[in-house]
Amino acid sequence: MKKRFFAGGLTIMVMAAVLVGCGGGAADPVGEGEKENKSAEAGGSDELYVYNWGEYIDEDVITQFEEETGIRVIYDPFETNEEMYPIIEAGAVTYDAVCPSDYMIQKMIENDLLAEINFDNISNKDQIDPAYMEMSKAFDPENKFSVPYCWGTVGILYNTKRLEELGVEPPAKWADLWDERLSGEILMQDSVRDAFMVALKKDGFSMNSEDEGELRQAKDALISQKPLVQAYVIDQVRDKMIGGEAAVGVIYSGEMLYIQEEVASLGLDYTLEYVLPEEGTNLWLDCWVIPKNAKNKENAEKWIDFLCRPEIAKANFEYITYPTPNRGAFELLDEDLQNNKSVFPDIDSLVNCEVFRYLGDEVDSVYNDLWKEVKSN
């Protein structure tokens, strides 16, 4: 969905103990034999199979977890929720801890794919700000199956200098992405729900709309916008914008700290600013869950508890730059970071924002069919 895939490859794939595919087996993790196998001594399993977004954890955190617990982490990355879901559903590879997004967690709950978490084993759960536990009730109504990990918004990133050259005011709403003066200067997300979110919100509809008339209106709007769009991309939005290749792009807020630091380090003669459109946007939440067929559930709960420790959550934030819902970690950050509203917007002040919901396979098919029409036109 939203994570960074650097040109140099997934360093975590090298650093993590081992990569496991559908036909692959576990290899010896780095450092095994040098550390005490505490879990095995206690009579339990000494393994943990983790399925997470690429570049969505500090690899040193994995090492620290292994050293503290004696549990070796077998780590696989995925790129989208839609790639992850059928793997969990099929059960050909059994994972113990998985990090999906809001709407996909709802789908997994409704299809009985998740185990209830034993929160007696999550002593650090109180470090999660209650606001995010409340937010997660949109897809996990009783907070039984998930623990928030990262959150953020979707907004518009814009190049101040390029807009000035084009004679275009900085964007304030999604409708500004239909300005004909931006022809060839717009980067849109290559994602059905994200693209339709932009078009639905532009016209005052819910981004979780199930109304076919509203969805067709959104489809027509996206088709009318298409001649203005330079490219439909995902992770490349950040790099294209830093490189001055476009004037505006739809992007996840978690990229902003990296972007701000990169622009400053390169000494560019333009700035990149982030705005939340006034019509409202997607307020997203990624959480840790435990599949129902997990073989190492207690180890998964140890993993989740470990990641909820403030100093660990802070290390993760500093590595991946996506906002943490961990209030203990937030309190450990420098004041300038705490006050960076591009990274940590005031959640209570967000207007017309929604969390994506799973709308059912039938409605998903409508979205997908309409998206195909957009892409083929």
Side-chain angles (χ1 to χ4, degrees):
M1 177 177 151
K2 57 188 77 71
K3 316 311 173 252
R4 302 192 307 258
F5 287 80
F6 294 112
L10 296 174
T11 58
I12 198 165
M13 295 171 68
V14 178
M15 176 63 197
V18 61
L19 294 179
V20 177
C22 289
D28 289 337
V30 175
E32 187 182 15
E34 298 179 3
K35 62 190 178 187
E36 181 182 6
N37 193 330
K38 302 172 186 175
S39 181
E41 285 181 356
S45 166
D46 65 344
E47 294 182 331
L48 177 71
Y49 288 78
V50 176
Y51 203 24
N52 191 14
W53 305 85
E55 293 286 344
Y56 210 32
I57 196 169
D58 180 352
E59 54 261 45
D60 290 340
V61 163
I62 297 175
T63 301
Q64 185 176 339
F65 176 79
E66 291 181 321
E67 290 174 347
E68 285 191 17
T69 64
I71 297 169
R72 64 173 184 171
V73 176
I74 300 95
Y75 191 103
D76 273 357
F78 60 83
E79 189 170 357
T80 67
N81 284 293
E82 287 68 28
E83 171 191 336
M84 173 277 301
Y85 181 84
I87 301 297
I88 301 302
E89 183 181 41
V93 180
T94 56
Y95 290 99
D96 303 308
V98 185
C99 189
S101 301
D102 32 54
Y103 70 98
M104 193 57 71
I105 294 171
Q106 181 185 351
K107 181 175 182 177
M108 296 169 85
I109 292 171
E110 292 186 10
N111 289 314
D112 198 28
L113 294 180
L114 298 182
E116 289 189 19
I117 295 172
N118 181 356
F119 282 92
D120 290 340
N121 294 330
I122 315 293
S123 61
N124 291 303
K125 64 181 180 297
D126 291 341
Q127 295 295 333
I128 303 299
D129 191 309
Y132 302 99
M133 297 301 293
E134 187 64 30
M135 188 193 308
S136 69
K137 288 182 179 179
F139 51 89
D140 182 4
E142 298 180 63
N143 290 138
K144 289 183 176 181
F145 299 95
S146 60
V147 176
Y149 180 59
C150 290
W151 71 282
T153 58
V154 178
I156 302 172
L157 184 68
Y158 60 93
N159 182 318
T160 54
K161 180 182 179 183
R162 184 63 182 139
L163 288 182
E164 186 177 349
E165 292 170 347
L166 293 169
V168 178
E169 293 295 316
K173 50 188 185 296
W174 291 120
D176 292 334
L177 298 183
W178 273 256
D179 188 329
E180 293 186 356
R181 293 173 296 175
L182 293 174
S183 179
E185 297 281 350
I186 299 171
L187 300 173
M188 285 285 289
Q189 285 287 317
D190 191 10
S191 160
V192 54
R193 290 299 296 270
D194 287 321
F196 270 82
M197 180 274 292
V198 172
L200 287 165
K201 283 292 190 184
K202 174 183 77 74
D203 291 334
F205 303 135
S206 168
M207 70 183 197
N208 290 305
S209 177
E210 301 179 42
D211 183 280
E212 192 163 344
E214 292 176 358
L215 295 180
R216 290 194 174 279
Q217 182 173 326
K219 182 255 312 185
D220 291 341
L222 290 170
I223 290 174
S224 71
Q225 182 206 35
K226 195 172 178 181
L228 310 179
V229 174
Q230 179 189 121
Y232 295 97
V233 287
I234 300 178
D235 302 297
Q236 301 96 319
V237 174
R238 178 200 63 198
D239 297 326
K240 280 180 169 289
M241 291 296 295
I242 291 173
E245 297 179 38
V248 295
V250 179
I251 200 166
Y252 294 95
S253 60
E255 301 288 1
M256 283 311 302
L257 185 58
Y258 174 86
I259 288 169
Q260 290 168 348
E261 292 174 347
E262 191 71 5
V263 168
S265 69
L266 292 173
L268 302 177
D269 64 348
Y270 52 83
T271 60
L272 298 176
E273 304 291 342
Y274 180 78
V275 64
L276 292 176
E278 61 188 38
E279 303 102 326
T281 189
N282 173 21
L283 182 61
W284 57 265
L285 192 62
D286 291 347
C287 302
W288 287 104
V289 300
I290 302 175
K292 201 165 189 177
N293 65 348
K295 295 179 180 178
N296 305 292
K297 184 173 185 289
E298 288 189 6
N299 290 351
E301 288 164 349
K302 290 178 183 178
W303 169 261
I304 294 170
D305 187 50
F306 177 79
L307 294 175
C308 287
R309 278 165 42 180
E311 69 274 16
I312 299 302
K314 175 178 179 286
N316 269 329
F317 165 73
E318 291 173 341
Y319 181 79
I320 64 178
T321 72
Y322 276 76
T324 174
N326 190 297
R327 59 184 175 184
F330 182 81
E331 290 168 0
L332 294 175
L333 298 176
D334 293 338
E335 190 174 343
D336 60 336
L337 271 176
Q338 294 177 349
N339 294 327
N340 188 329
K341 298 307 179 185
S342 292
V343 181
F344 290 105
D346 293 324
I347 192 169
D348 293 335
S349 67
L350 299 178
V351 179
N352 297 325
C353 290
E354 300 176 76
V355 175
F356 273 131
R357 290 189 291 104
Y358 167 57
L359 304 174
D361 290 343
E362 186 175 340
V363 178
D364 277 356
S365 293
V366 174
Y367 271 88
N368 290 331
D369 289 344
L370 294 174
W371 181 234
K372 287 176 185 176
E373 289 188 45
V374 173
K375 297 300 287 290
S376 64
N377 255 276

